[in-house]
Amino acid sequence: MPSRPHCLAASRQGNLGLQARRYSLWVQVRGESWIESAEGRFRLRPGQWIVLDRESRPIVQATSMGLCLGLSFDGGGPPSRRASADHACVYPGRGRLDEGERLVFLRLWRRACPRPTDAAGSGDASPLLAFMAEIQRDLHRYAQRCPGRTRGHRHQVFVRLQRARLYLNGHRNRRVPMRELARLVNFSHSYFSRTYTFVYEEQPQVTASRIRLAHAAELLISTESPIGEIAQASGFENNCSFSRAFRARFGISATDYRRREGVCEDNSRKSNA
């Protein structure tokens, strides 16, 4: 019999670790938090969510004003054919909730938490899992492209692929060898590369480059670090390769991007002051 879901929370420089082999989902309500897991290191800002695999064993550290709410749950199999009251299929991944979705999450998270008056000591997490499954509806379309003779096999393949994508996000400060990703998900190098490309319609190297360039773009407008240091912090061996890749991705140089986006961010801060 599967164990019941558990509500989790880290706030105001608090931290918690999940050592059990259970899936977990986390949503940043306010402030920021850092998550260390087997897939790497992740920074959560308000509204951002992340779902981690049963092997992830995350450690969550909230900042001084941070509040991160979570739920740990058994993985289960592919989406049920029965009513949505069953545990919905929620895949590893990350994204962002808009303001309205965040309010829905808060309401469902409170519903999932055990009440002191409940003798059984458990709330109802099914609506929350169904809600997150709907948030991940784009992922479910990718999951249908996975190879496998049964729905359960396709589900397991996609869970592994999503874990590989999280690993790229968690190590966006360096170039991750594809064989390292294949070992992480226990696939052969050729099967991993072929399956990943078929499901996501892009090679894993392309995904990795896009993630590292997005990281560089974020550093350009959030720090004053020299561009050479940002290139190294994004896994590029030299400035020339970084400059070529950045211009190909964004259409302008890193210097012009910092100048343009930095001005936009400054104006936004003034308007919110």
Side-chain angles (χ1 to χ4, degrees):
M1 180 177 180
S3 58
R4 61 177 178 265
H6 295 287
C7 291
L8 307 164
S11 65
R12 296 183 178 276
Q13 295 187 325
N15 66 82
L16 60 88
L18 183 64
Q19 295 303 317
R21 294 183 69 254
R22 288 164 64 85
Y23 283 77
S24 62
L25 71 87
W26 307 88
V27 173
Q28 192 67 24
V29 178
R30 66 167 183 267
E32 296 182 354
S33 293
W34 289 92
I35 295 183
E36 297 274 0
S37 73
E39 291 82 11
R41 192 166 191 254
F42 303 91
R43 182 182 191 177
L44 292 188
R45 293 188 172 93
Q48 292 183 334
W49 60 264
I50 187 169
V51 176
L52 295 169
D53 182 67
R54 63 171 68 244
E55 304 295 338
S56 301
R57 292 179 169 83
I59 298 175
V60 182
Q61 173 70 59
T63 62
S64 58
M65 297 300 293
L67 173 59
C68 186
L69 301 181
L71 186 80
S72 71
F73 56 98
D74 290 325
S80 173
R81 296 178 183 273
R82 302 187 328 187
S84 60
D86 291 333
H87 281 190
C89 181
V90 180
Y91 292 110
R94 61 183 310 200
R96 178 185 292 275
L97 302 178
D98 62 32
E99 187 173 352
E101 291 168 339
R102 210 181 314 177
L103 292 175
V104 173
F105 172 83
L106 283 171
R107 175 172 56 83
L108 296 178
W109 184 84
R110 293 190 184 102
R111 179 176 173 181
C113 293
R115 296 178 177 83
T117 57
D118 187 354
S122 64
D124 183 8
S126 296
L128 176 56
L129 294 175
F131 169 73
M132 290 304 300
E134 174 61 21
I135 292 295
Q136 291 188 339
R137 54 188 173 274
D138 289 340
L139 292 184
H140 286 262
R141 288 198 289 268
Y142 285 123
Q144 294 174 2
R145 295 175 56 84
C146 280
R149 293 183 178 180
T150 66
R151 297 171 72 236
H153 185 204
R154 292 193 293 271
H155 167 83
Q156 291 301 325
V157 170
F158 189 63
V159 165
R160 296 189 192 188
L161 292 180
Q162 281 295 111
R163 194 176 181 209
R165 284 170 76 90
L166 276 179
Y167 192 86
L168 290 174
N169 273 279
H171 294 81
R172 56 186 184 167
N173 61 323
R174 66 182 180 90
R175 185 186 295 272
V176 178
M178 292 302 103
R179 293 189 182 277
E180 185 176 328
L181 281 177
R183 286 196 302 270
L184 172 76
V185 298
N186 199 28
F187 286 156
S188 70
H189 180 273
S190 59
Y191 181 81
F192 170 74
S193 180
R194 183 173 65 252
T195 304
Y196 187 104
T197 302
F198 177 77
V199 171
Y200 298 112
E201 298 181 297
E202 69 176 8
Q203 296 178 340
Q205 296 91 333
V206 174
T207 304
S209 178
R210 177 164 48 78
I211 289 173
R212 290 189 293 119
L213 287 169
H215 178 53
E218 180 181 332
L219 292 177
L220 283 169
I221 61 177
S222 64
T223 73
E224 297 180 355
S225 300
I227 290 178
E229 291 183 7
I230 290 176
Q232 292 183 354
S234 303
F236 288 88
E237 297 178 355
N238 54 65
N239 288 0
C240 291
S241 61
F242 171 70
S243 297
R244 287 195 300 269
F246 193 92
R247 184 179 289 276
R249 172 65 178 161
F250 295 99
I252 58 176
S253 69
T255 301
D256 290 341
Y257 183 91
R258 167 176 271 174
R259 184 181 300 116
R260 186 189 70 183
E261 298 299 323
V263 169
C264 292
E265 185 169 279
D266 288 342
N267 290 339
S268 176
R269 288 174 179 173
K270 289 178 182 178
S271 65
N272 293 328

